[in-house]
């Protein structure tokens, strides 16, 4: 189609009239030209001049009213556009704009003739990696003197996701607390859920860990299940993991305990993101007379280095045990021991389960569950810098990483 020279309103001083033509495929713009862009068949990319001069102008008009279906992408070609270097989009039906090159600081700025009072340019969508770990549960509680021992707390659910977000999307981040320690003879406290949500996103919610059991209360179900206390013959009273069910699984079952004699009572380990909680021994004969270890967690390198999250808490045992049970890798707390060894808490912001409590003299309260964490990783070139809730911001390679140790938000 022949070019047409027409007067264009709102141009930078000295820009003069624009020479207009129709474009139906990807193209590189020439300064002081205008383009009717036809995206009827597919989206098109316009690449701006590589060496613009102050006062240059580019006109763009939606030729067929299809920018809302097939967007026009504007590539600034190594320069800036509205002070950034990202590609921007035109997505409005029958939209028309003029881009004026102002200086190296702001680059190309937009005059919108159709969207009066608004900015016609939209940020390009980009991918964000998410890690969502819920709060771990506390172990089954210690209480009045007796033979029962608490099972380890289940780890918080562990989930990952990669999603494409549109510019301006507000991503709400919720970080679940760990279950509180317990000194009464009851099942441990479950952890709280962690989640991310936002317009156009698939909500990712990880369930809090299930509390460890203490006979007669079974271990609770959750992201990972709590280990059973010393349950006598009902040795299957551990909590179920991956509750509610997700794919891939967010966690594992707790382990079974054992009540062999009046002297030997053993709690099962809490489940972890990477493994089931360990079953306790089924004998009182040393050295094979230990409570169940916590299930191991799962490693993630979303921060740029490998960190293991969501380990289960260890079960507790009476004073005759040979070795105190260990928490699972990824922040699981160790179990207690009837001779005075205190259970330990799950690690905060790893979502670990707490160690099982001890019923005896002295009573040893169960270990609290560790608080969860939510981590976002995205290309630094796309990072908006708009957050709430004071996340920790780091960079690794070409990515910016936001670690939320408490609830907040990120605006894409």
């Amino acid at each position: 189609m022949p070019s047409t020279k027409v007067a264009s309103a709102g141009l930078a001083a000295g820009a003069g009239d624009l020479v207009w033509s129709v474009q139906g495929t990807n193209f590189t713009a020439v300064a002081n030209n205008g383009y009717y862009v036809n995206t009827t068949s597919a989206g098109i990319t316009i690449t701006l001049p590589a060496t613009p001069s102050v006062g240059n102008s580019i006109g763009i008009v939606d030729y067929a009213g299809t920018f809302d279906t097939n967007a026009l992408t504007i590539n600034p070609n190594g320069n800036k556009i509205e002070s950034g270097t990202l590609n921007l989009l035109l997505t409005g039906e029958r939209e028309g704009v003029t881009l004026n090159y102002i200086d190296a600081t702001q680059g190309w700025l937009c005059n919108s003739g159709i969207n009066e009072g608004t900015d016609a340019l939209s940020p390009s969508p980009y991918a964000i990696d998410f890690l969502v770990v819920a709060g771990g549960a506390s172990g089954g509680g210690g209480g009045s003197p007796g033979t029962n021992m608490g099972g380890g707390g289940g780890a918080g659910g562990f989930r990952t996701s990669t999603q494409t977000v549109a510019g301006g999307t507000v991503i709400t981040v919720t970080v679940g607390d760990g279950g509180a320690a317990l000194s009464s003879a009851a099942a441990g406290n479950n952890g709280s859920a962690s989640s991310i949500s936002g317009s156009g996103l698939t909500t990712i919610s990880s369930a809090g860990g299930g509390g460890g059991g203490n006979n007669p209360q079974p271990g609770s179900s959750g992201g990972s299940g709590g280990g059973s206390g010393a349950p006598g013959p009902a040795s299957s009273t551990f909590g179920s993991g991956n509750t509610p069910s997700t794919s891939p699984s967010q966690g594992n079952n707790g382990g079974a305990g054992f009540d062999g004699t009046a002297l030997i009572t053993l709690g099962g380990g809490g489940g972890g993101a990477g493994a089931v909680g360990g079953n306790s021994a089924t004998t009182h004969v040393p050295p094979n007379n230990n409570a169940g270890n916590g299930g191991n967690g799962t490693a993630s390198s979303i921060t740029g280095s490998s960190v293991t999250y969501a380990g289960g808490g260890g079960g507790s045992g009476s004073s005759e045990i040979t070795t105190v049970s260990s928490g699972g890798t990824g922040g699981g707390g160790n179990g207690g021991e009837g001779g005075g060894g205190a259970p330990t808490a799950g690690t905060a912001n790893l979502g670990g389960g707490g160690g099982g409590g001890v019923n005896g003299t002295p009573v040893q309260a169960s270990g609290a569950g560790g608080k969860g964490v939510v981590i976002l990783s995205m290309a630094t070139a796309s990072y908006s810098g708009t957050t709430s809730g004071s996340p920790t911001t780091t960079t690794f390679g070409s990515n910016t990483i936001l670690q939320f140790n408490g609830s907040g938000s990120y605006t894409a």
Side-chain angles (χ1 to χ4, degrees):
M1 177 177 178
S3 299
T4 305
K5 186 173 183 179
V6 300
S8 179
L11 302 183
D17 296 338
L18 301 183
V19 177
W20 290 80
S21 61
V22 176
Q23 299 289 337
T25 59
N26 296 340
F27 66 100
T28 298
V30 176
N32 301 323
N33 277 247
Y35 301 96
Y36 300 102
V37 184
N38 184 357
T39 63
T40 300
S41 299
I44 288 176
T45 296
I46 174 175
T47 301
L48 300 181
T51 56
S53 300
V54 173
N56 285 169
S57 295
I58 302 291
I60 302 171
V61 173
D62 182 2
Y63 171 87
T66 54
F67 282 2
D68 57 337
T69 302
N70 296 314
L72 176 71
T73 299
I74 302 174
N75 179 352
N77 201 6
N79 300 296
K80 291 187 176 180
I81 181 170
E82 294 191 341
S83 76
T85 58
L86 298 179
N87 293 350
L88 296 179
L89 304 178
L90 288 177
T91 60
E93 182 180 344
R94 295 296 181 186
E95 197 154 36
V97 301
T98 301
L99 298 176
N100 300 315
Y101 189 78
I102 306 303
D103 55 33
T105 301
Q106 292 295 319
W108 296 91
L109 296 181
C110 172
N111 295 329
S112 173
I114 291 177
N115 291 0
E116 286 295 338
T118 66
D119 188 343
L121 299 178
S122 303
S124 298
Y126 59 93
I128 299 180
D129 295 328
F130 298 95
L131 171 65
V132 182
V133 179
S138 62
S144 58
T147 60
N148 295 336
M149 298 291 161
F158 175 103
R159 298 187 68 189
T160 62
S161 178
T162 298
Q163 300 191 50
T164 299
V165 300
T169 299
V170 178
I171 301 170
T172 299
V173 173
T174 301
V175 177
D177 289 324
L182 192 66
S183 58
S184 59
N189 293 302
N190 287 6
S192 299
S194 295
S195 66
I196 58 100
S197 62
S199 177
L201 293 180
T202 298
T203 296
I204 301 297
S205 182
S206 296
N214 186 303
N215 190 35
Q217 295 88 359
S220 299
S221 298
S224 281
S228 67
S235 60
S236 63
T237 54
F238 50 79
S240 297
N242 197 32
T243 304
S245 178
T246 64
S247 180
S249 172
Q250 61 179 307
N252 289 282
N253 296 343
F258 174 66
D259 187 3
T261 72
L263 298 177
I264 299 294
T265 52
L266 307 168
V276 298
N279 294 332
S280 70
T282 56
T283 174
H284 64 276
V285 178
N288 301 311
N289 60 344
N290 295 314
N293 295 326
N296 287 336
T298 297
S300 169
S301 295
I302 191 171
T303 61
S305 58
S306 181
V307 178
T308 302
Y309 302 86
S316 287
S318 53
S319 59
E320 290 75 18
I321 63 175
T322 301
T323 304
V324 170
S325 66
S326 61
T329 57
N334 294 337
E337 186 263 327
T344 60
T347 304
N349 302 124
L350 293 181
V358 176
N359 292 353
T361 305
V363 169
Q364 299 288 349
S366 66
K371 190 173 187 176
V373 68
V374 174
I375 301 175
L376 284 63
S377 177
M378 69 210 77
T380 298
S382 300
Y383 174 55
S384 74
T386 304
T387 65
S388 69
S390 302
T392 300
T393 305
T394 58
T395 59
F396 181 80
S398 61
N399 279 10
T400 291
I401 298 101
L402 299 178
Q403 178 166 325
F404 287 86
N405 294 333
S407 298
S409 68
Y410 168 67
T411 302

